[in-house]
Amino acid sequence: MHKYASPKFFYALAGQLTPWLGGLTAILLIVGIYLGLFIAPADYQQGESYRIMFVHVPAAWMSMFIYMMMAGAGAIALVWNIKLAEIFSSVCAPVGASFTFLALVTGSLWGKPMWGTWWAWDARLTSELILFFLYIGYMALQASIDDPRRAARATAILALVGVVNIPVIHFSVEWWNTLHQPASVSKIGTPSIHPSMLAPLLLMIFAFSVYFFTVALIRMRNEILERERHTSWVAQVLESKT
Amino acid sequence: MNWTQFFAMGGYGFYVWSSYGLAAVILILNLYLPLHRRKTVRRLLREFVRLKRSSQPGSE
Amino acid sequence: MPPLLNAIGCIFRRDITVALRRSTDILTPIIFFLIVVSLFPLGLGPEPAALRSIAPGVIWVAALLATMLSLNRLFANDHADGTLEQLLLSPHPLTVLVLTKIAAHWALTGLPLVLISPLLAIQMHLPPQAIGTLVLSLLLGTPVLSLLGAVGAALTLGLRGGGVLVSLLVLPLYTPVLIFGAGAVTGVIADIDIEAQFSLLGAFLALALTFAPWATAAALRVSIE
């Protein structure tokens, strides 16, 4: 176990894994997009516009999933002081924030034809916006601490506080929304899911997840090199490949 | 299959293709930036290791 | 008196005394609260009905911002003069000591905001029955603001740009309190049953009381080492 958790071993393992994960991502994306754009029938209510769902829903899912992973790894790093968990937790935020941004913009692009307005204070979009702010705060804290160890521990605490709060925020926004919902704006109903729509949706969610791990591994490798720059194995790695 | 019809997306072309386009941009950027960073890190660290070696007493 | 209680009493008294000697520190957030709320009628026009409809939100948002302004005082001075390190070295559980400091902070910022809010409520033409609700919702909500703010203050201790940074960390976490705090007052104006809002504010307070001192203590340990 100790061997697998050593940065040196992990660096090599991650280097071998990334091409495979990258390939898997590409295949999943191609099949998912093909099924989503060509095979799945148009929705009887929303027409072709519902196809935005195949990027919006996976992006929204990733925004939550990455925050959970980030906080979980942060907790492991805090409690057991495991370096790799710390490094993993510290590379999550930019990817998570960009998926949150994607979910917001695609939500808005989906909302325009459905609601007739670019932005509605819909419960899901509002929660997503606050999640985006949480990511921004996390990255701002991370950027303002120079020492990587201190940065990792401080951001892990922040992520844990955030994780406790996310369900509360979600519930509050949900409640607030039912109270203030203007009658003219109807919710984006998730189209009644037909198997031909569900398959591309699940494939895209899976593709985005594998993509996240691919990118996280590449980022972790960069981070490991920088943190371990005083060791002899890094010097060897730098010499071996040009 | 009629391609013009496909790209029109039943009149929702702008919204659908903007969504997929932004998704592509974000996926590519998130891949490109760390890969680019990797090159920079390796270059800087190689320099770092070289300087460290040359400053160690008795190495030259 | 058991030593822990003694320590709690000492810290509480000390924080209050120190703050009272620098009374501008206490006054600034309160004056800020007054000014921000008074600006809205100037921006929107003095129409009472319009003011009444936005008053709960405006007063609550101003309370969030005023609390945020005061967060710096919570640990920064003690950090600068080394008192905080003494606190970390003390044999008593840090969470309890931190909770004491938060309580003192609330007594000096949250409580004055609660006490002065009826004045603003009158200014904003809130109906009389809503004023009591506003005070009560602030009384339940402001301790949560102090508790969550303490985590942010501890995390940003000694960092450059700490003041703005703490707002980025803490404001998103304040949204539930804002929703239900302002929601309670709006509910009373609209003559809706507001028991749920108060129960939830109480639940947030309980949740924050359990988690925030612990997270603050952990954050202080990270920030000072």
Side-chain angles (χ1 to χ4, degrees):
Chain A
M1 185 60 215
H2 182 73
K3 181 183 152 210
Y4 296 96
S6 88
K8 180 187 174 186
F9 181 83
F10 184 83
Y11 182 85
L13 180 71
Q16 281 172 338
L17 273 176
T18 33
W20 294 99
L21 286 177
L24 183 60
T25 309
I27 294 169
L28 286 168
L29 274 179
I30 291 168
V31 179
I33 287 177
Y34 175 73
L35 290 182
L37 288 183
F38 295 93
I39 305 299
D43 185 66
Y44 75 102
Q45 270 182 325
Q46 307 191 4
E48 306 281 356
S49 75
Y50 91 95
R51 293 187 201 277
I52 294 173
M53 177 178 83
F54 298 129
V55 287
H56 172 73
V57 172
W61 151 258
M62 288 312 292
S63 65
M64 293 295 297
F65 175 67
I66 295 177
Y67 203 96
M68 298 296 157
M69 298 287 292
M70 188 167 90
I76 291 171
L78 275 181
V79 176
W80 288 289
N81 209 0
I82 296 174
K83 253 190 195 172
L84 279 180
E86 195 181 290
I87 294 173
F88 175 72
S89 164
S90 71
V91 301
C92 289
V95 192
S98 54
F99 275 123
T100 317
F101 178 72
L102 179 61
L104 278 174
V105 176
T106 51
S108 171
L109 282 165
W110 196 3
K112 178 67 180 160
M114 289 303 108
W115 299 324
T117 166
W118 290 106
W119 181 264
W121 291 95
D122 158 75
R124 266 177 296 175
L125 275 185
T126 311
S127 304
E128 203 67 26
L129 182 67
I130 295 170
L131 182 62
F132 187 61
F133 292 153
L134 285 177
Y135 271 117
I136 299 285
Y138 181 99
M139 293 199 293
L141 181 64
Q142 195 174 33
S144 59
I145 306 178
D146 293 323
D147 172 31
R149 298 294 320 258
R150 184 186 160 185
R153 297 166 66 81
T155 50
I157 294 172
L158 182 65
L160 282 174
V161 175
V163 150
V164 175
N165 265 278
I166 284 176
V168 178
I169 291 172
H170 191 77
F171 165 76
S172 311
V173 169
E174 195 78 26
W175 180 90
W176 165 83
N177 187 250
T178 50
L179 207 74
H180 294 277
Q181 184 82 40
S184 59
V185 174
S186 61
K187 287 195 171 190
I188 296 183
T190 312
S192 47
I193 291 276
H194 188 265
S196 61
M197 297 174 181
L198 189 61
L201 187 63
L202 292 179
L203 270 172
M204 290 299 276
I205 290 177
F206 192 39
F208 277 25
S209 307
V210 181
Y211 168 85
F212 162 65
F213 285 111
T214 317
V215 173
L217 285 183
I218 300 174
R219 281 180 179 272
M220 283 176 80
R221 269 160 64 90
N222 290 345
E223 189 73 23
I224 289 174
L225 277 189
E226 280 192 273
R227 287 197 188 196
E228 304 272 305
R229 61 177 177 274
H230 295 284
T231 61
S232 56
W233 74 264
V234 167
Q236 277 170 7
V237 163
L238 290 172
E239 275 163 21
S240 63
K241 278 177 281 175
T242 44
Chain B
M1 158 140 258
N2 183 341
W3 284 101
T4 337
Q5 218 177 348
F6 174 71
F7 283 114
M9 275 286 155
Y12 297 117
F14 171 74
Y15 305 107
V16 174
W17 296 120
S18 312
S19 296
Y20 280 79
L22 183 73
V25 168
I26 281 179
L27 291 186
I28 291 168
L29 263 186
N30 267 313
L31 191 64
Y32 170 77
L33 288 177
L35 284 175
H36 181 76
R37 170 104 187 112
R38 179 173 160 73
K39 274 189 195 147
T40 322
V41 166
R42 286 181 72 102
R43 202 188 61 232
L44 288 174
L45 287 186
R46 229 176 269 137
E47 189 72 359
F48 170 80
V49 170
R50 198 178 58 76
L51 286 173
K52 201 173 80 171
R53 283 207 182 127
S54 64
S55 67
Q56 267 164 7
S59 63
E60 289 314 311
Chain C
M1 195 190 272
L4 180 60
L5 280 182
N6 200 9
I8 291 173
C10 270
I11 292 175
F12 192 81
R13 269 199 308 276
R14 175 192 167 273
D15 276 15
I16 302 271
T17 319
V18 169
L20 287 177
R21 291 211 180 123
R22 279 184 231 152
S23 45
T24 42
D25 273 12
I26 311 174
L27 285 174
T28 318
I30 299 161
I31 305 287
F32 174 86
F33 185 52
L34 284 173
I35 293 178
V36 167
V37 176
S38 308
L39 285 179
F40 277 86
L42 298 177
L44 285 161
E47 183 59 41
L51 289 182
R52 193 172 302 136
S53 70
I54 60 157
V58 166
I59 294 176
W60 258 98
V61 169
L64 301 192
L65 297 177
T67 311
M68 286 248 333
L69 267 189
S70 68
L71 286 177
N72 186 39
R73 206 184 57 227
L74 195 48
F75 298 118
N77 292 337
D78 287 356
H79 180 48
D81 65 15
T83 326
L84 207 55
E85 271 164 71
Q86 297 297 317
L87 213 63
L88 260 71
L89 292 173
S90 101
H92 304 297
L94 186 57
T95 37
V96 179
L97 304 184
V98 160
L99 188 59
T100 313
K101 283 190 79 67
I102 298 171
H105 175 264
W106 178 77
L108 290 165
T109 50
L111 195 56
L113 293 184
V114 175
L115 294 178
I116 206 156
S117 59
L119 197 66
L120 294 173
I122 293 167
Q123 221 184 11
M124 298 294 280
H125 297 288
L126 270 186
Q129 79 273 19
I131 296 181
T133 316
L134 176 72
V135 172
L136 217 59
S137 70
L138 282 170
L139 199 60
L140 271 175
T142 44
V144 184
L145 303 183
S146 288
L147 284 160
L148 287 175
V151 183
L155 284 171
T156 56
L157 199 57
L159 298 180
R160 52 196 134 81
V164 189
L165 189 59
V166 87
S167 64
L168 290 187
L169 305 191
V170 165
L171 281 179
L173 301 176
Y174 280 176
T175 42
V177 183
L178 171 66
I179 288 175
F180 290 103
V185 186
T186 323
V188 159
I189 299 173
D191 220 6
I192 302 170
D193 183 31
I194 50 160
E195 207 186 305
Q197 281 89 324
F198 275 111
S199 323
L200 283 163
L201 281 176
F204 293 159
L205 182 56
L207 197 69
L209 270 173
T210 352
F211 286 104
W214 175 83
T216 312
L220 282 178
R221 288 223 163 83
V222 170
S223 293
I224 304 172
E225 55 180 21

